Amino acid sequence: MSKTIAPEIPPQGMVAPAPAAVQLHEVSKSYDGRVVLQDITLAAATGEFVCLLGASGCGKTTLLNLVAGLDQTTAGRVTVAGDVRPALMFQEPALFPWLSAARNVELALRLRGVPKALRTAQARELLDVVRLADAADKRPHELSGGMRQRVALARALAQDSPVLLMDEPFAALDAITRDALHEELVRVWQQTGRTILFVTHNVREAAVLAQRIVLLGSRPGRVIREWQVDLPSPRRIEATTTSALAGEITEHLRKEIARHGDH
Amino acid sequence: MAITDVGVDVRDLDALERDAVATPPLAGRLWSGIWPPVLALIALILVWELVYLAHVKPHSLLPSPADVASSLRQHAANGELWRDLWGSTHRAVLGFLVALAIGTPLGALLGRVKLLRRMFQPIVSGLQSLPSVAWVPAAVIWFGLSPSTIYFVVLMGAIPSVTNGTIAGLDQVPPLFTRVGTVLGARGLTMARLVLLPAALPTYIGGLRQGWAFAWRSLMAAELIAYSARLGGGLGQLLNQGQELVDESTVLGAILMILVVGIVIELGVFAPVERRVLHNRGLTGR
C-alpha cells in the first residue's frame, strides 16, 4: 500500500535526472515589464512532496499556473513528465454548487473521458479515499469547509494526474480542521504516490507536510533556500524536531521580509 | 502507517457537522403560503362590492363581482371562455418557447464574444424597454391579420428579456468556476454545457420569468389590436368583443382571466423551478 519514496534530490540549480515529475529550468515571468518570477530552477521527483513557501508577492500562484499550463513563461522552460496535465486545487474548494459531492467528482471523471458506466463506482472510491463516502449525495452547501476541501481533493485525484498542484488549499480553514486535513493529505499522498507541489505562506504547514521545502523570496519571486526534510511522515507540529525546523525556516523568512522593509 | 495517535481524526470533525434540520409538515407549509394572498383577494372583492353598492358609477358601467362571475359562467357554458383561454395560452407558450430557442443562443453568443456584445447589447437593451405593442402596426402591414403578426409581436417582446437574462447569467459565473473547468479539461461547448450554463442558471431563470411576462403582455396587446375572426379565439379577442358591445362584465371577466393565467404560470411554473434551483444550491433558507 504505502510506497517508500526516497528519491534522490539533485543539488539546487542542476537539472534533475529522469524521474523528475516536474521541472522548472530558469523560469522567469513578467507582466507588463514587472518581474514576478525570476530565474526559478527547481524540480520535484516522482512521488515527492514539495512545499513552496513564501510571503505575499513571491509569485507562488503564478508559479503554479505556469506548471498547470494556465499561463506561459516569459523565459525558461517548464517540463511536466509525460506531458500530463497536472491536477490543481485552489484555496477555495470551488465545487459546483448545482452538483452533489459525488457528481462533482464524476464531472472530473467525465471530462477525463471515463465511460459513464464506470463513473459512479470510481467516484465512490475516490470519496472513500478522502473518507467522505457517506457524504456522496450531499450538496456542497451542506458540507463543512473542511469536507468541501476534501471533496475538492477527491475531484483533483479524479483527474488521475501523477502531479497534484495545491495553491494554499487549507488557508481558509480553522486550525483544528487544518491539522486534521494535513494528516488526511499525507495519508492520501502515501496511498496514491502522487507528486505534490504545495504552495503555502504557513511555515508550520510546510514543516508538517513536506519532504522538501523551497523558500521563495518576494518581488521578484526567486528561490532563496531549500531544506531537505528527513523526518518521517506524518508528523505533528508539537514534535520538537518539527517545531525546530519551523523555527529555523521562520528566521530566514523574517530576514527576507525585513530586507524589503529597509527600503 | 501509524497515524492513529496523531492529532484529530477528520471523521470526528465530520460527526460534529451532523445536525438535523427539521422540515415543517407539508400541509402547514401550504397553508402558510396560501392564506395571506387569499385574504388579500377577499378584501379586494369586498372593496369592489362596496364601491358597487355605493353607486359611484352606474351599474352598467361598473358591474358587481357577482355580475362578472355570472358573465364568466355564461362564457364558460357556451365554450367560448375555454376556447379563448386555450387560444391565448397556447400561443403564449409556443411564442415563449421559440423566444427561448432564439434568445438563449443569442445571449450566449453576446455574452462570450466581447466585440459582438459591444455592438449589439445596447440595441437588445433598447428593444427590451420598447413597448412591443409598437410592433403591432408594423407587423399588420407586413403579415396582415394572420397568426404571424401575433407571433412576431410576442417574439419581439420576449426575446430581448431572454437574451439579456442569458448575458447577465453568464456575467455572474465566478471566474474560478471557469478556471476549474479548464483545469479539469473542459473546452468550448463542453465548458458551456457542463459549467457555464448551469452556473448561470439562477439568473437565467430570472430572465425567463421576465421573458414570459413580456410574452404574455405582448400577446394581449397583439390580440386586442389585431382582431379578426380568422385568427380564432383569444382573451385579447374577448376583451375586444366586450369593448365593441360595451359589455363591462365581459371586459372585467377577460381582464381577470388574463391575470389568473399570469398568476397560475408564475406560481405553478416559475416560482417552483426557481425555488428548487436556489434551494439545491443552498441559496435560500428553505
Side-chain angles (χ1 to χ4, degrees):
Chain A
M1 274 270 290
S2 83
K3 284 189 246 169
T4 318
I5 298 146
E8 286 296 309
I9 310 301
Q12 205 249 303
M14 257 181 66
V15 174
V22 178
Q23 203 175 305
L24 283 84
H25 184 70
E26 294 170 4
V27 167
S28 296
K29 176 73 187 174
S30 316
Y31 291 106
D32 307 322
R34 194 171 53 87
V35 182
V36 179
L37 293 173
Q38 193 176 51
D39 212 14
I40 303 236
T41 295
L42 60 87
T46 303
E48 194 182 13
F49 198 136
V50 178
C51 270
L52 303 172
L53 179 70
S56 27
C58 72
K60 293 172 289 197
T61 303
T62 307
L63 202 152
L64 281 196
N65 280 343
L66 292 176
V67 179
L70 295 176
D71 209 344
Q72 302 299 314
T73 61
T74 311
R77 202 173 59 244
V78 176
T79 321
V80 179
D83 258 338
V84 293
R85 189 176 54 229
L88 178 55
M89 238 181 106
F90 304 94
Q91 181 172 332
E92 300 82 14
L95 299 175
F96 295 141
W98 59 91
L99 299 173
S100 67
R103 294 270 177 205
N104 264 288
V105 178
E106 281 174 39
L107 182 68
L109 296 170
R110 177 177 179 176
L111 290 169
R112 205 185 90 208
V114 176
K116 195 170 185 167
L118 304 176
R119 282 183 220 144
T120 315
Q122 286 194 18
R124 294 276 155 165
E125 275 171 36
L126 288 162
L127 285 174
D128 211 31
V129 170
V130 297
R131 300 203 271 202
L132 273 178
D134 291 344
D137 297 323
K138 292 253 200 298
R139 307 252 170 192
H141 73 271
E142 296 171 299
L143 303 172
S144 70
M147 291 162 109
R148 281 180 217 161
Q149 209 48 292
R150 277 146 67 203
V151 176
L153 176 57
R155 179 173 67 180
L157 295 175
Q159 287 184 253
D160 203 31
S161 173
V163 179
L164 176 54
L165 310 175
M166 306 182 87
D167 189 356
E168 303 194 42
F170 306 139
L173 301 175
D174 64 89
I176 302 259
T177 307
R178 196 183 310 137
D179 282 350
L181 286 196
H182 285 159
E183 251 174 62
E184 282 296 295
L185 180 60
V186 167
R187 192 179 56 74
V188 168
W189 166 61
Q190 290 174 332
Q191 192 179 326
T192 60
R194 296 286 205 281
T195 307
I196 298 183
L197 227 54
F198 188 107
V199 154
T200 181
H201 61 255
N202 184 333
V203 177
R204 294 152 47 101
E205 184 164 59
V208 166
L209 292 174
Q211 287 184 305
R212 191 150 57 89
I213 298 171
V214 179
L215 180 63
L216 298 174
S218 299
R219 282 174 231 288
R222 67 217 179 283
V223 176
I224 289 189
R225 229 196 117 113
E226 287 192 29
W227 283 266
Q228 179 70 37
V229 185
D230 291 321
L231 306 168
S233 293
R235 356 183 156 109
R236 307 176 70 168
I237 191 63
E238 292 88 348
T240 23
T241 42
T242 318
S243 51
L245 175 66
E248 184 192 333
I249 298 171
T250 306
E251 281 296 305
H252 285 273
L253 187 58
R254 286 218 179 105
K255 264 186 230 157
E256 168 60 17
I257 294 170
R259 209 175 57 75
H260 287 272
D262 289 345
H263 303 299
Chain B
M1 290 201 288
I3 58 165
T4 41
D5 62 334
V6 183
V8 182
D9 191 310
V10 273
R11 282 166 295 190
D12 297 337
L13 284 177
D14 293 351
L16 296 176
E17 288 297 322
R18 275 174 226 131
D19 51 347
V21 180
T23 312
L26 180 70
R29 270 179 10 238
L30 276 179
W31 174 242
S32 71
I34 282 173
W35 75 259
V38 168
L39 192 68
L41 193 65
I42 292 172
L44 279 176
I45 291 174
L46 264 176
V47 170
W48 176 5
E49 183 71 31
L50 288 176
V51 173
Y52 169 80
L53 291 175
H55 265 285
V56 176
K57 290 263 181 187
H59 282 173
S60 62
L61 297 187
L62 179 63
S64 73
D67 294 338
V68 173
S70 92
S71 156
L72 278 176
R73 259 200 307 278
Q74 203 186 318
H75 286 297
N78 65 24
E80 237 176 61
L81 182 64
W82 308 120
R83 194 200 60 201
D84 291 346
L85 267 176
W86 166 246
S88 287
T89 317
H90 101 267
R91 273 181 200 144
V93 170
L94 203 64
F96 175 68
L97 291 179
V98 175
L100 243 175
I102 297 174
T104 307
L106 189 64
L109 198 65
L110 296 190
R112 299 304 289 178
V113 185
K114 295 286 167 261
L115 179 65
L116 288 179
R117 180 189 190 140
R118 289 216 302 276
M119 288 165 72
F120 289 105
Q121 206 188 4
I123 301 174
V124 174
S125 298
L127 284 176
Q128 193 177 10
S129 44
L130 178 78
S132 54
V133 65
W135 290 107
V136 176
V140 170
I141 294 171
W142 286 332
F143 307 112
L145 290 177
S146 69
S148 305
T149 295
I150 290 181
Y151 284 118
F152 179 79
V153 176
V154 170
L155 291 183
M156 291 315 284
I159 289 175
S161 291
V162 175
T163 305
N164 273 331
T166 312
I167 295 174
L170 288 174
D171 280 353
Q172 280 168 26
V173 176
L176 189 58
F177 284 0
T178 333
R179 274 185 86 196
V180 170
T182 312
V183 169
L184 295 180
R187 301 281 180 277
L189 278 180
T190 315
M191 176 77 96
R193 197 162 50 87
L194 296 179
V195 180
L196 297 177
L197 289 182
L201 196 60
T203 314
Y204 175 65
I205 288 175
L208 294 193
R209 197 176 198 164
Q210 204 187 23
W212 163 261
F214 275 97
W216 188 236
R217 287 182 208 180
S218 311
L219 176 69
M220 288 308 118
E223 284 187 350
L224 181 60
I225 300 174
Y227 173 80
S228 154
R230 282 186 297 133
L231 287 175
L235 291 171
Q237 274 92 340
L238 188 63
L239 269 180
N240 190 309
Q241 182 194 325
Q243 186 192 344
E244 304 271 299
L245 303 173
V246 201
D247 176 1
E248 191 63 24
S249 295
T250 297
V251 170
L252 288 179
I255 291 175
L256 265 180
M257 285 301 107
I258 294 169
L259 203 63
V260 165
V261 171
I263 292 174
V264 165
I265 300 276
E266 167 67 27
L267 293 185
V269 180
F270 287 103
V273 168
E274 188 164 55
R275 204 178 321 123
R276 198 187 164 80
V277 165
L278 294 182
H279 178 63
N280 276 346
R281 297 166 191 229
L283 295 172
T284 49
R286 240 238 60 74

